[in-house]
Amino acid sequence: MGKAILKVLTAEEARGSDVDPSRCLIWRDSAEVPRDWSMARRWAGVLCNDRIDEKESAEAAIVLDGIETPGVIAPGDVVRLVEGGPLVSVLYRRGSNSNTLFATERCNSFCVMCSQPPRDVDDRWLVEEMIDTIPLIDCDEVQLGISGGEPTLLGDDLLVVLHQARRHLPETGLHILSNGRRFADSDFARCVWAVRHPNVTWGIPVYSDCREIHDYVVQAKGAWDETLEGLYNLAKFNANIEVRVVVQRGNVERLGELAYFIFRNLTFVKHIAFMGLEPMGFARANYDRIWIDPVDCGEYLKDAAFFLANRGMAVSLYNFPLCTLPGELWPLAQKSISDWKNTYLAECAVCDVRDRCCGFFASIDERWTSRGIRPISASGAFGVARKAGATDEMA
Amino acid sequence: MKWRKRLLQVLRWSVMTVGGVSTAALGFSSAAEQDTGVGALRDSDHDRVLLPNTLNATADDRYAQHRSHSSHSSHRSHRSSGSRGGIRRTVPAPVPQPQESPQPGSPAPSAPSTVAPQSPRGRPQPTPQDLSMMVVRVQAALMRRGFYVGDIDGILGPVTRAGLKAFQKSEGLAQTGRMDIDTLTRLGISIP
């Protein structure tokens, strides 16, 4: 079945762009034909929310009109069309804060809180898709994610993807989520380095300083050892590494020890992110094993985060609404939730710090909601600042 | 018999590439089976041994004709690669068709790297992007085996060629410095 990966552009932008015309799907605001309209440029086709007159669209190889959900696709997006199919998939969205390429559904770990449970399928077509999509992404895109499953399971296909990104998007940083285990193979780490992509960050989870706890969380014996070996191999080649720690019942009590472990043994790490749970996938089935109310994590988070930050390591908190955190940690909290799965609760309407707060995952429900959720008033915010040692002049 | 020597050479590969095919499944018996325990199919059109389950058994030498070239500048107006949707244009080849299976030692005619002529088997020649990606795989495979220490940049330059030749020498292959089927197969790379 025919498949096409195309760039949606207005005619004006398409004329001025160096995107291959045969990969351009021209965006039309309305069914009315523009004055300088011509398909002679061999564009791939036309896309319009309204219905287009058939006679006039006859020259176009592909016509997408009468879109049922206007607003989903816009100029700048990269879309996948399947011949004869009714769906258009958006692979890249101009203006999104979280564009991510999907590498594979396979994974060699089975984390108890995994939000994207793995499937053992032959999905090498995803590699072709990444290779075809990358040249169509805006070259001024600041950051592009690569995720899965486990991207390193691509083996040398990952090198091809990195090379393609380096070639077509030299200014775009790549942020690749991986468990790092395949980098225990030093040769693979060397090959990745040898592609010389100028700006790659590896986001790699380490859940505990304790082998047994980490292996339990990822449900794979030996994973902790492999991940650490992988981290050292990456460090050997000066890779940018971000350690990610999903905070949950099994590892929260040793967060301080983990921070000490990272400081002493992983000094090359560029950034550490402590992350709240996402209630999707395996997490939902393992609620009893993993759930801990964020307000009960505050002291552990303070211990770990300040231990590292006070020693010059960059620390962030992801997925923790501000009202669930002690005020001292607010400067470290980031707006971390991808726009397409981000939501706020009714209480947030009157919250003064809503704009700085990451809010919630759209998949949240009653049992995944902290008992500490409450709107913060401006005076409340100042109240917290006072507690942290502000002077009277600030009142 | 020439093909038997070739078979023994080829069997130095990992067992996976030879597969566990029984001679009964192959439908014939030969003297070679007692020696090697594996049957082999003789392709009468070419002096080449095709094994069941062999990597690249049905591929043609599309990547071997590629000559070294200067680096392609990073640009977006290239043809889309492969056969993934979109509109493909085939351009008549201005050069003679390449040999089906180049004999070791004799130079294969070069195909310009910007057109997509049809090869005799009907498959289009690789685009510059396809070639570049294949070179990335070759460089990685050579690096793993200690035959290449440069950047993995998708460029088939003198250092990569030297690595290819050194690998070919160690495997008892003709040192062509080209990405021919045998070399790619020994490197564990499948031709798409």
Side-chain angles (χ1 to χ4, degrees):
Chain A
M1 193 180 314
K3 188 169 81 161
I5 293 176
L6 303 172
K7 178 77 165 175
V8 178
L9 291 172
T10 59
E12 188 185 344
E13 193 179 348
R15 282 184 212 115
S17 156
D18 51 6
V19 175
D20 186 346
S22 67
R23 308 290 300 278
C24 292
L25 189 60
I26 301 303
W27 170 272
R28 284 255 298 267
D29 286 323
S30 72
E32 186 186 321
V33 184
R35 220 170 293 150
D36 56 350
W37 181 255
S38 167
M39 288 300 294
R41 279 177 189 80
R42 299 180 192 260
W43 288 322
V46 172
L47 186 149
C48 183
N49 285 332
D50 304 328
R51 290 230 165 264
I52 296 181
D53 181 82
E54 272 183 41
K55 221 171 24 178
E56 176 263 308
S57 67
E59 275 181 54
I62 297 171
V63 176
L64 286 174
D65 62 355
I67 308 286
E68 278 176 23
T69 47
V72 172
I73 307 174
D77 292 356
V78 178
V79 297
R80 179 218 294 144
L81 315 175
V82 176
E83 192 179 342
L87 290 178
V88 178
S89 305
V90 180
L91 303 179
Y92 164 80
R93 190 169 262 122
R94 181 182 280 176
S96 168
N97 70 355
S98 61
N99 279 300
T100 299
L101 298 179
F102 188 60
T104 177
E105 282 193 79
R106 293 170 296 131
C107 191
N108 49 354
S109 292
F110 302 95
C111 301
V112 292
M113 71 294 166
C114 180
S115 57
Q116 178 84 35
R119 288 199 309 147
D120 193 14
V121 291
D122 182 357
D123 51 11
R124 275 171 292 180
W125 61 270
L126 286 168
V127 176
E128 307 282 3
E129 197 162 89
M130 284 195 284
I131 288 168
D132 286 346
T133 303
I134 285 169
L136 300 181
I137 290 174
D138 293 342
C139 54
D140 58 357
E141 183 64 45
V142 172
Q143 181 166 275
L144 186 61
I146 299 183
S147 184
E150 174 50 52
T152 57
L153 292 182
L154 266 47
D156 287 358
D157 281 347
L158 183 59
L159 306 177
V160 173
V161 170
L162 289 174
H163 173 257
Q164 183 78 337
R166 182 187 172 207
R167 188 176 166 192
H168 291 282
L169 299 173
E171 313 278 301
T172 304
L174 295 182
H175 189 265
I176 309 181
L177 298 183
S178 168
N179 57 37
R181 293 170 62 190
R182 277 281 180 103
F183 291 123
D185 171 4
S186 178
D187 286 337
F188 188 51
R190 176 190 296 277
C191 285
V192 162
W193 165 81
V195 177
R196 301 284 201 177
H197 192 288
N199 191 352
V200 178
T201 299
W202 297 92
I204 296 180
V206 179
Y207 296 112
S208 181
D209 64 317
C210 214
R211 174 185 286 117
E212 289 75 19
I213 296 176
H214 179 97
D215 286 359
Y216 170 79
V217 171
V218 311
Q219 292 287 295
K221 201 155 180 220
W224 186 83
D225 290 291
E226 285 175 4
T227 295
L228 284 176
E229 189 78 30
L231 286 167
Y232 285 123
N233 283 333
L234 284 172
K236 214 163 60 177
F237 297 106
N238 294 320
N240 289 326
I241 298 168
E242 166 189 280
V243 166
R244 291 157 81 89
V245 187
V246 177
V247 178
Q248 53 190 281
R249 162 123 40 113
N251 68 352
V252 65
E253 286 172 22
R254 290 191 72 84
L255 283 186
E257 282 83 356
L258 174 59
Y260 183 75
F261 179 88
I262 292 170
F263 174 68
R264 290 302 303 265
N265 298 302
L266 303 174
T267 47
F268 45 81
V269 164
K270 296 286 192 303
H271 180 229
I272 299 105
F274 295 98
M275 304 174 58
L277 288 163
E278 179 175 358
M280 278 288 285
F282 286 163
R284 299 200 84 93
N286 290 317
Y287 174 86
D288 294 319
R289 292 191 183 94
I290 63 177
W291 167 253
I292 175 162
D293 195 318
V295 296
D296 297 326
C297 301
E299 292 307 308
Y300 300 112
L301 283 172
K302 272 195 330 197
D303 262 349
F306 286 129
F307 180 88
L308 293 166
N310 290 344
R311 285 157 184 78
M313 300 190 91
V315 180
S316 297
L317 301 179
Y318 291 169
N319 314 337
F320 289 103
L322 292 178
C323 51
T324 63
L325 290 174
E328 303 93 303
L329 288 177
W330 285 14
L332 302 179
Q334 305 293 337
K335 291 193 71 170
S336 53
I337 299 181
S338 307
D339 44 23
W340 58 275
K341 52 181 173 178
N342 194 197
T343 191
Y344 292 83
L345 301 181
E347 298 92 308
C348 306
V350 295
C351 179
D352 285 332
V353 294
R354 189 199 145 139
D355 289 340
R356 289 174 46 207
C357 177
C358 66
F360 305 87
F361 288 102
S363 49
I364 198 172
D365 64 21
E366 192 66 44
R367 58 181 197 161
W368 292 92
T369 304
S370 166
R371 66 181 187 277
I373 305 296
R374 62 198 161 86
I376 305 286
S377 66
S379 55
F382 283 123
V384 168
R386 275 176 164 277
K387 244 168 81 179
T391 63
D392 279 342
E393 283 93 273
M394 282 177 70
Chain B
M1 275 182 269
K2 199 166 77 170
W3 71 267
R4 195 197 300 197
K5 228 176 28 179
R6 174 65 166 253
L7 178 65
L8 289 174
Q9 243 183 11
V10 154
L11 285 176
R12 272 162 47 209
W13 298 348
S14 72
V15 174
M16 254 177 66
T17 59
V18 174
V21 181
S22 73
T23 53
L26 289 171
F28 65 90
S29 64
S30 83
E33 283 163 27
Q34 276 93 46
D35 290 344
T36 63
V38 176
L41 209 61
R42 184 88 181 259
D43 184 326
S44 56
D45 290 339
H46 312 99
D47 190 22
R48 177 188 291 275
V49 174
L50 299 174
L51 289 174
N53 300 333
T54 302
L55 194 65
N56 301 329
T58 54
D60 51 59
D61 248 340
R62 279 172 289 145
Y63 289 91
Q65 282 77 37
H66 183 62
R67 302 200 75 119
S68 64
H69 59 290
S70 57
S71 65
H72 295 112
S73 59
S74 165
H75 61 90
R76 292 156 73 112
S77 55
H78 59 280
R79 286 191 180 76
S80 66
S81 65
S83 53
R84 261 88 37 200
I87 301 163
R88 303 207 72 239
R89 293 182 231 156
T90 48
V91 176
V95 293
Q97 290 300 314
Q99 298 289 328
E100 176 63 334
S101 46
Q103 297 303 313
S106 68
S110 68
S113 53
T114 51
V115 298
Q118 295 289 319
S119 72
R121 280 234 181 120
R123 284 188 215 170
Q125 291 288 354
T127 64
Q129 177 163 284
D130 293 336
L131 282 163
S132 187
M133 295 197 293
M134 182 55 78
V135 174
V136 165
R137 295 180 206 279
V138 165
Q139 288 170 327
L142 289 174
M143 182 173 275
R144 273 213 187 76
R145 290 160 178 77
F147 291 99
Y148 182 70
V149 290
D151 288 351
I152 293 183
D153 56 10
I155 297 171
L156 190 44
V159 181
T160 308
R161 276 203 197 281
L164 265 170
K165 286 184 181 169
F167 172 74
Q168 287 163 334
K169 181 175 179 185
S170 78
E171 292 286 311
L173 296 170
Q175 293 174 54
T176 60
R178 294 183 193 277
M179 301 186 291
D180 50 55
I181 293 188
D182 290 337
T183 307
L184 289 175
T185 311
R186 297 286 182 97
L187 286 171
I189 297 170
S190 65
I191 299 171

